[in-house]
Amino acid sequence: RDKLVTGVQTCALPIYLPLRNAAPAIVLHGDGPLLVLAGAGSGKTRVIVHRIAHLVRHRGVAPWHVLAVTFTNKAAGEMRERLSALLGPEAREAWVQTFHAFGARFLRREAARAGLPPEFAIYDDSDQMSLVKRLFAEAGWGEDRLTPREALSRIDRWKNLGLFPAGVRLAEGDADGEAALEIYRRYQRALERAGAADFGDLLVRPLQLLQEDEPLRARWAGRFRHLLVDEFQDTSPVQYRLVRRLAGEARNVCVVGDDDQAIYRWRGADVANILE
């Protein structure tokens, strides 16, 4: 399956073609969901960029109605550069960024609904560790039960699943899990008091708002007429659910990836998102 593409449109069976042959069909694909499964170096990102340019130049889609997301700042920057070469200044109006950058931008606009100040702080790894160590000290805990790093790892895993403390379910007898969950409760309260968010919040807080506020969800789903996701094999459950909420009823989602290149399982990525 190296350098092959699966394009399911109106046919009963998948079409397997070299990406160079299938690329025009991908770029010209109309409305509705589209999955591109192709190997490394086969031009997946190039296809995404040309599809965006086609939507803007030939389908009349305003660039600000396009959201394209990927996983690293470098990849997002390269995508913006390629799009700028095709569209010129219009390219700056498309939302082309990482998942976390999108989440931060979303929360800046919806800060009041999220209970955050407009210029909320975003805690990095060092800030998170300092906070958890302080919470351990306040609770009078040593590291004989679980360590601050282990607690943070659990918190990150729960946020990648889209879970705040109230939604976490533990296995019976999971003493370390009980301790981590108590730290999670205190951790979220401390973030709220500080008017801050961590990187996990940049995904789980937008998802929570979109799930609980139907008018808000409809407004944002209407904002983005087309969603495009690069490296879809590396999406976590919370990222997958966020894309679904933003897609709305139109479901104009184009995702590209390769399950053989899944590299973020340790960070909560679920390759089933692309396979299923």
Side-chain angles (χ1 to χ4, degrees):
R1 209 188 55 224
D2 184 38
K3 296 189 179 180
L4 297 182
V5 59
T6 305
V8 183
Q9 298 184 34
T10 59
C11 55
L13 296 173
I15 301 171
Y16 294 95
L17 292 171
L19 188 55
R20 63 180 178 274
N21 296 337
I26 297 165
V27 171
L28 301 176
H29 175 76
D31 293 339
L34 174 66
L35 165 66
V36 179
L37 186 62
S42 54
K44 296 188 295 295
T45 303
R46 182 172 181 271
V47 163
I48 278 189
V49 171
H50 279 79
R51 177 164 173 75
I52 295 172
H54 173 75
L55 290 170
V56 173
R57 285 286 169 83
H58 301 288
R59 295 278 308 280
V61 177
W64 54 86
H65 286 317
V66 174
L67 170 62
V69 287
T70 188
F71 284 86
T72 67
N73 290 322
K74 179 181 178 182
E78 290 175 355
M79 198 181 294
R80 285 192 294 268
E81 287 179 8
R82 293 188 189 189
L83 193 59
S84 181
L86 294 173
L87 289 179
E90 281 185 292
R92 291 195 294 269
E93 297 175 340
W95 288 44
V96 181
Q97 52 208 162
T98 65
F99 271 102
H100 289 88
F102 166 77
R105 193 171 178 181
F106 177 99
L107 288 175
R108 299 283 184 207
R109 297 191 176 207
E110 304 295 346
R113 282 184 171 84
L116 290 166
E119 298 304 319
F120 62 88
I122 299 174
Y123 280 21
D124 62 16
D125 292 344
S126 176
D127 297 323
Q128 291 175 263
M129 182 58 69
S130 295
L131 174 55
V132 170
K133 285 181 176 179
R134 176 165 64 81
L135 294 174
F136 265 63
E138 290 175 357
W141 292 1
E143 295 187 10
D144 51 324
R145 304 172 67 184
L146 94 160
T147 67
R149 186 163 300 282
E150 288 168 340
L152 265 179
S153 178
R154 290 251 193 170
I155 291 169
D156 184 60
R157 193 181 318 150
W158 286 326
K159 289 193 176 184
N160 277 319
L161 291 171
L163 299 175
F164 278 122
V168 173
R169 298 293 178 265
L170 298 172
E172 187 175 349
D174 184 359
D176 284 352
E178 290 285 356
L181 183 55
E182 177 57 28
I183 288 295
Y184 190 11
R185 295 187 187 102
R186 299 181 184 210
Y187 176 86
Q188 285 303 117
R189 289 196 293 267
L191 286 177
E192 290 168 9
R193 288 194 299 270
D198 66 11
F199 283 110
D201 285 333
L202 300 182
L203 301 177
V204 73
R205 277 179 172 266
L207 177 62
Q208 182 186 45
L209 289 176
L210 293 170
Q211 287 179 157
E212 297 178 353
D213 190 331
E214 181 57 30
L216 180 72
R217 188 206 63 77
R219 176 159 59 81
W220 278 91
R223 168 63 185 263
F224 298 117
R225 308 284 175 81
H226 286 269
L227 281 71
L228 303 98
V229 186
D230 200 9
E231 307 294 357
F232 192 67
Q233 76 278 353
D234 286 325
T235 50
S236 65
V238 69
Q239 289 164 335
Y240 173 78
R241 290 165 61 191
L242 190 57
V243 169
R244 284 190 65 99
R245 291 290 175 179
L246 291 169
E249 295 180 2
R251 300 170 68 232
N252 291 331
V253 182
C254 171
V255 303
V256 306
D258 177 13
D259 57 299
D260 288 336
Q261 295 183 72
I263 60 174
Y264 287 127
R265 288 186 178 93
W266 59 274
R267 203 176 62 185
D270 187 352
V271 74
N273 290 344
I274 195 168
L275 293 177
E276 299 177 7

